[in-house]
Amino acid sequence: MCCIKAGEMKSLVFLSAHKVVSDHLSLRSALEFIPSELYPVLFKAAFLYQKPLVLHDLVHRWPFPVLNIQKVLKKCKHCEQDLIAEKPNKLCLQAAILGLVAYTKDAVKEDRNSHSRRHWLKVVDLTGFRDDGPTQDTEAMGPWSRTVMLSRACTDVYRQIGNEAKSSLKRRREMLNMERTAASTLDEIAVDVHADLFVNSSSSDILRDALEASSGCSIRLKCRDFRAEELSIKGTVRLLELLDPLFLRKIDLRYNNLG
């Protein structure tokens, strides 16, 4: 039963979405028949009521070129609750990122000329989450964990692309042909992930690996705000050199070991 707080009214569409996301198996079997305009409402309902399996499947089959999570979760005509102003649930955000991984892996395998999908995801915007506040919430995913999760997703997809390429090449000629077409193919299927990246000495290596892999991967990290702590000047510069300067908005260096 849905609990509605004062000042957080929900439309009949949103209440229906809550009912739909409550049954994951039925939703999964019906996703291809659900109108695309209902996906954002279903996504917000799944996030609000913490349905990670549903979120995974929604991202996996997202029917629009852009998934701006900040826009989807903010106050809207169907639900007055502003979820972007709250710390994101760890399981929900993890499920959304894994749904993106599944999407990009499928995109690599599928024929680009296939008409099985009307839209192809090009941008996932993960910026705008509330990350401030002194209280430790074990159910929330903070910016540090989010950076590691995204980095691992990127390197995971990169490794799979490389492994599949090697296993499918039986002759040197095939490898040369693939090298000629790989760049253009990746440009067609790649998804730009906009994110604020927070890094320290324990996560700098995995972030560096992910940023280095981005150019040859179907998940490409685009850093909006960059924050580094406890890094040497050399380590900080190495990461900064890998960021897209045209997209970067802010650099915040704290407590760095400059020695």
Side-chain angles (χ1 to χ4, degrees):
M1 187 172 181
C2 179
C3 177
I4 303 178
K5 299 179 181 179
E8 295 179 358
M9 296 301 296
K10 297 172 176 62
S11 70
L12 290 177
V13 171
F14 196 85
L15 294 176
S16 299
H18 176 210
K19 184 69 174 178
V20 171
V21 301
S22 297
D23 187 345
H24 171 242
L25 291 180
S26 296
L27 173 66
R28 167 174 274 189
S29 62
L31 266 179
E32 61 180 305
F33 306 108
I34 293 178
S36 59
E37 58 266 23
L38 293 180
Y39 271 65
V41 181
L42 292 170
F43 188 97
K44 185 171 183 179
F47 214 96
L48 176 60
Y49 298 108
Q50 298 182 12
K51 304 294 182 181
L53 295 178
V54 173
L55 287 166
H56 176 281
D57 290 349
L58 288 172
V59 176
H60 187 201
R61 296 185 62 88
W62 195 253
F64 303 108
V66 177
L67 170 53
N68 187 324
I69 293 183
Q70 178 178 190
K71 184 177 180 179
V72 172
L73 296 184
K74 71 179 183 180
K75 180 179 178 180
C76 66
K77 64 180 181 180
H78 294 299
C79 176
E80 294 184 348
Q81 194 163 346
D82 187 4
L83 299 183
I84 202 66
E86 304 173 8
K87 292 183 178 181
N89 178 268
K90 181 188 301 182
L91 292 179
C92 289
L93 201 53
Q94 182 178 27
I97 294 172
L98 291 176
L100 170 63
V101 170
Y103 182 98
T104 56
K105 286 182 177 180
D106 283 354
V108 171
K109 296 177 183 177
E110 291 175 359
D111 181 0
R112 187 56 184 163
N113 296 320
S114 172
H115 296 288
S116 60
R117 294 179 183 175
R118 298 178 60 188
H119 299 274
W120 286 82
L121 190 59
K122 299 300 295 180
V123 175
V124 173
D125 194 328
L126 289 169
T127 63
F129 285 107
R130 179 189 174 189
D131 293 315
D132 57 346
T135 304
Q136 280 293 100
D137 186 351
T138 57
E139 295 185 355
M141 179 180 282
W144 308 96
S145 299
R146 194 157 62 244
T147 298
V148 171
M149 180 72 183
L150 284 171
S151 299
R152 286 176 177 165
C154 185
T155 53
D156 177 42
V157 172
Y158 179 76
R159 290 192 186 102
Q160 179 178 345
I161 292 175
N163 291 337
E164 290 182 352
K166 291 176 183 177
S167 64
S168 65
L169 298 175
K170 297 180 180 179
R171 297 189 303 272
R172 177 64 180 170
R173 184 175 61 183
E174 291 175 332
M175 179 176 289
L176 292 173
N177 289 336
M178 185 167 187
E179 287 173 351
R180 295 189 190 102
T181 60
S184 59
T185 300
L186 281 175
D187 285 340
E188 291 178 349
I189 66 176
V191 179
D192 288 346
V193 178
H194 299 176
D196 298 328
L197 301 179
F198 285 51
V199 60
N200 55 28
S201 57
S202 64
S203 59
S204 61
D205 287 346
I206 188 171
L207 177 59
R208 186 188 67 248
D209 291 344
L211 291 172
E212 289 176 344
S214 281
S215 60
C217 181
S218 53
I219 295 180
R220 296 178 175 174
L221 295 181
K222 298 289 185 179
C223 179
R224 185 188 68 163
D225 293 351
F226 178 80
R227 174 172 165 178
E229 293 187 6
E230 302 174 3
L231 294 185
S232 66
I233 236 181
K234 181 179 179 181
T236 301
V237 170
R238 288 178 68 186
L239 290 175
L240 290 175
E241 289 176 339
L242 294 171
L243 302 180
D244 184 348
L246 298 179
F247 189 79
L248 189 61
R249 183 184 72 172
K250 178 181 178 182
I251 297 175
D252 184 1
L253 307 181
R254 301 188 180 190
Y255 314 110
N256 289 275
N257 176 16
L258 301 180

